[in-house]
Amino acid sequence: MQISEYFPVYQKLTAEQQAQVDHFATLRSIQKGTVVHDASMGCTGFVLVRSGQLRTYMLSDEGREVTLYRLFDRDCCLFSASCMFSSLQVDVTMEAEKDSEIWILPASIYQQLMNESLAVANFTNELMATRMSDVMWLIEQIMWKSFDKRLAGFLLEESSIDGSEVIQMTHEKIANHLGTAREVVTRMLRYFQSEGMVKLTRGTIELTDIPALTALTNS
Amino acid sequence: MQISEYFPVYQKLTAEQQAQVDHFATLRSIQKGTVVHDASMGCTGFVLVRSGQLRTYMLSDEGREVTLYRLFDRDCCLFSASCMFSSLQVDVTMEAEKDSEIWILPASIYQQLMNESLAVANFTNELMATRMSDVMWLIEQIMWKSFDKRLAGFLLEESSIDGSEVIQMTHEKIANHLGTAREVVTRMLRYFQSEGMVKLTRGTIELTDIPALTALTNS
């Protein structure tokens, strides 16, 4: 499968532009845990996921994290090419959560396409709108949803992504996703366990009452 | 002053497109407190501020608010035209904080321009990037900045917007900006007063030690 089958506006490019994408996009195989982009790297480029799973998060001065959104097969990310926009002052980190294959198109090439092609410019607008919706959803969660509901929702999402009722993830890692401290996660998980909603063992969390977790997150 | 002098990409439009903007943009004079846009209104259109001050905020199911960003002279807002983007699922409310004059360009016209003109499409990208930066800054504040620092920063910003060391605003209103409860604001303002940083009277907050407030917000 070539980039032509993954890049959503490829068919709307001129032959010359298509040749540029083919030539300049590099396919990288990255292992779980690899940091693909962070603030220190400057402008990594436009990222398009062929397969795998990546996490985009913000990092505080004190090293705390909060997940902004995940990328799966065929998802694109612009924040790793934020230098293309003079108004975008955003530092995010992107890390592979599973072994992944991604295409990277240099920011200068993507920017040139954006300046030449209406299709690319408006595709970029839609992509920006998607990320904006993700981030606004996150604000709602942080501002107005109590932590038990957020944690229940996160466990259900993880279970759904992995297609398994057993989640293999440390409490520390969950805390990083949700932007809180490990102790807070551990305390709430123990409460969930006492209510029969999960079963905890070292390194795993088994969801034992999905209807109850679903009711909690939607309450 | 006509819209041609305010709309940043006007000069890059064709004569026909310029005529459309001139024809379809309506200038509205709105009083302080007027809600220009909210979720119930659907797609209000692209907003361009001629003069005044507006606030864009999110509203929770329980009626709590948090300010996303402010609009001043020459600022534009896309969220009041979110129907233009299939991926933008965002409900915001826009309210005049001062008597204001705004142009509204119907979403259908703006969308047509965006689909015809590279300049408009890429201007839209930059505008989206600006709002994204505002919103990401807000997440950092909410997640990682203690409330005393956020409140000090808010008072300094208000003082700077109004060019006055006396802020005329209720504690309720401040709570709505910052997404918290009135009691929390009142308690912290009393603490600031005890430290000599502000002087409280009914309906006003006088900043009496700006260097101390600045040091606090930057600490």
Side-chain angles (χ1 to χ4, degrees):
Chain A
M1 295 281 267
Q2 299 304 305
I3 193 167
S4 54
E5 294 168 68
Y6 281 76
F7 189 43
V9 286
Y10 189 89
Q11 298 307 328
K12 295 185 180 161
L13 300 178
T14 64
E16 194 186 339
Q17 289 165 342
Q18 290 180 345
Q20 275 201 310
V21 170
D22 295 340
H23 180 70
F24 286 106
T26 53
L27 184 64
R28 276 182 62 187
S29 292
I30 48 175
Q31 288 195 307
K32 180 178 170 177
T34 306
V35 172
V36 178
H37 173 77
D38 70 21
S40 72
M41 295 184 191
C43 218
T44 305
F46 176 80
V47 168
L48 171 54
V49 181
R50 185 181 187 183
S51 65
Q53 181 177 325
L54 295 99
R55 176 169 88 99
T56 302
Y57 59 93
M58 285 170 86
L59 198 63
S60 77
D61 294 340
E62 289 81 30
R64 288 179 61 188
E65 300 177 2
V66 62
T67 299
L68 295 170
Y69 50 85
R70 253 87 172 261
L71 301 172
F72 301 97
D73 297 7
R74 295 183 177 273
D75 280 341
C76 307
C77 187
L78 283 167
F79 284 0
S80 46
S82 60
C83 59
M84 297 192 302
F85 305 97
S86 58
S87 321
L88 195 58
Q89 276 122 29
V90 165
D91 280 340
V92 299
T93 306
M94 193 187 303
E95 189 182 295
E97 286 190 306
K98 296 184 178 166
D99 292 348
S100 303
E101 285 189 309
I102 60 172
W103 280 287
I104 298 180
L105 192 59
S108 57
I109 303 294
Y110 191 89
Q111 185 154 32
Q112 187 191 324
L113 293 174
M114 209 166 68
N115 291 334
E116 287 174 7
S117 157
L118 259 170
V120 175
N122 281 312
F123 164 72
T124 306
N125 272 319
E126 277 298 334
L127 199 52
M128 201 83 96
T130 306
R131 296 304 162 229
M132 185 63 100
S133 305
D134 292 340
V135 164
M136 303 277 273
W137 179 86
L138 179 63
I139 294 184
E140 283 186 338
Q141 299 286 310
I142 300 169
M143 294 295 297
W144 296 315
K145 206 157 184 178
S146 57
F147 184 68
D148 56 343
K149 297 176 186 178
R150 286 183 67 206
L151 180 58
F154 178 78
L155 295 176
L156 291 166
E157 192 191 339
E158 281 304 302
S159 162
S160 147
I161 288 172
D162 285 335
S164 162
E165 285 167 20
V166 180
I167 296 165
Q168 310 231 347
M169 194 182 272
T170 64
H171 301 186
E172 177 82 37
K173 198 92 189 160
I174 296 174
N176 285 343
H177 273 289
L178 299 174
T180 185
R182 186 189 56 74
E183 296 72 25
V184 176
V185 172
T186 299
R187 201 181 314 128
M188 192 61 80
L189 283 174
R190 287 195 183 136
Y191 166 74
F192 284 2
Q193 182 166 250
S194 73
E195 295 285 307
M197 294 191 279
V198 303
K199 194 173 158 211
L200 305 175
T201 58
R202 179 168 283 276
T204 72
I205 301 153
E206 184 183 349
L207 309 194
T208 48
D209 190 348
I210 287 180
L213 287 166
T214 307
L216 174 59
T217 197
N218 294 332
S219 67
Chain B
M1 295 282 266
Q2 301 303 305
I3 193 167
S4 54
E5 295 167 68
Y6 281 77
F7 189 42
V9 286
Y10 190 88
Q11 298 309 328
K12 296 186 179 160
L13 300 178
T14 64
E16 194 185 339
Q17 290 166 341
Q18 289 180 346
Q20 276 201 310
V21 171
D22 295 341
H23 181 70
F24 286 106
T26 53
L27 184 63
R28 277 181 62 187
S29 292
I30 49 176
Q31 289 194 307
K32 180 179 169 175
T34 306
V35 172
V36 178
H37 173 77
D38 69 20
S40 73
M41 295 183 190
C43 218
T44 304
F46 176 81
V47 167
L48 171 56
V49 181
R50 185 182 189 180
S51 65
Q53 181 177 325
L54 295 99
R55 175 169 89 99
T56 302
Y57 59 94
M58 286 170 86
L59 197 62
S60 77
D61 294 340
E62 288 80 31
R64 287 179 61 189
E65 300 177 2
V66 61
T67 298
L68 294 172
Y69 50 84
R70 255 87 170 260
L71 300 173
F72 301 97
D73 297 7
R74 296 184 177 272
D75 280 340
C76 307
C77 187
L78 284 168
F79 284 180
S80 47
S82 60
C83 59
M84 297 191 303
F85 306 97
S86 57
S87 321
L88 195 59
Q89 276 123 30
V90 165
D91 281 341
V92 300
T93 306
M94 194 187 302
E95 190 182 294
E97 285 191 307
K98 295 184 178 166
D99 292 350
S100 303
E101 284 189 308
I102 60 172
W103 279 288
I104 298 180
L105 193 59
S108 57
I109 303 294
Y110 191 89
Q111 185 154 33
Q112 188 190 323
L113 293 175
M114 209 166 69
N115 291 334
E116 287 174 6
S117 157
L118 258 170
V120 175
N122 280 311
F123 165 72
T124 306
N125 272 318
E126 277 297 334
L127 200 51
M128 200 85 94
T130 306
R131 295 304 162 231
M132 185 63 99
S133 306
D134 291 341
V135 164
M136 302 277 274
W137 178 87
L138 179 64
I139 293 184
E140 283 187 337
Q141 298 286 309
I142 299 169
M143 295 294 299
W144 296 315
K145 206 159 184 178
S146 59
F147 184 69
D148 56 343
K149 296 177 186 177
R150 286 183 66 206
L151 180 58
F154 178 78
L155 295 175
L156 290 166
E157 191 192 338
E158 280 305 303
S159 163
S160 147
I161 289 172
D162 284 336
S164 162
E165 286 166 19
V166 179
I167 296 166
Q168 309 230 348
M169 194 181 274
T170 64
H171 300 186
E172 177 83 36
K173 198 92 189 159
I174 296 174
N176 285 344
H177 274 288
L178 298 175
T180 187
R182 186 190 55 73
E183 297 71 25
V184 177
V185 172
T186 300
R187 200 180 314 128
M188 191 62 79
L189 283 173
R190 286 196 184 135
Y191 166 74
F192 285 1
Q193 181 166 251
S194 73
E195 294 285 307
M197 295 191 279
V198 304
K199 196 175 155 206
L200 305 175
T201 59
R202 179 168 282 277
T204 71
I205 300 153
E206 184 183 347
L207 309 194
T208 48
D209 191 346
I210 288 181
L213 287 166
T214 307
L216 174 59
T217 197
N218 293 333
S219 66

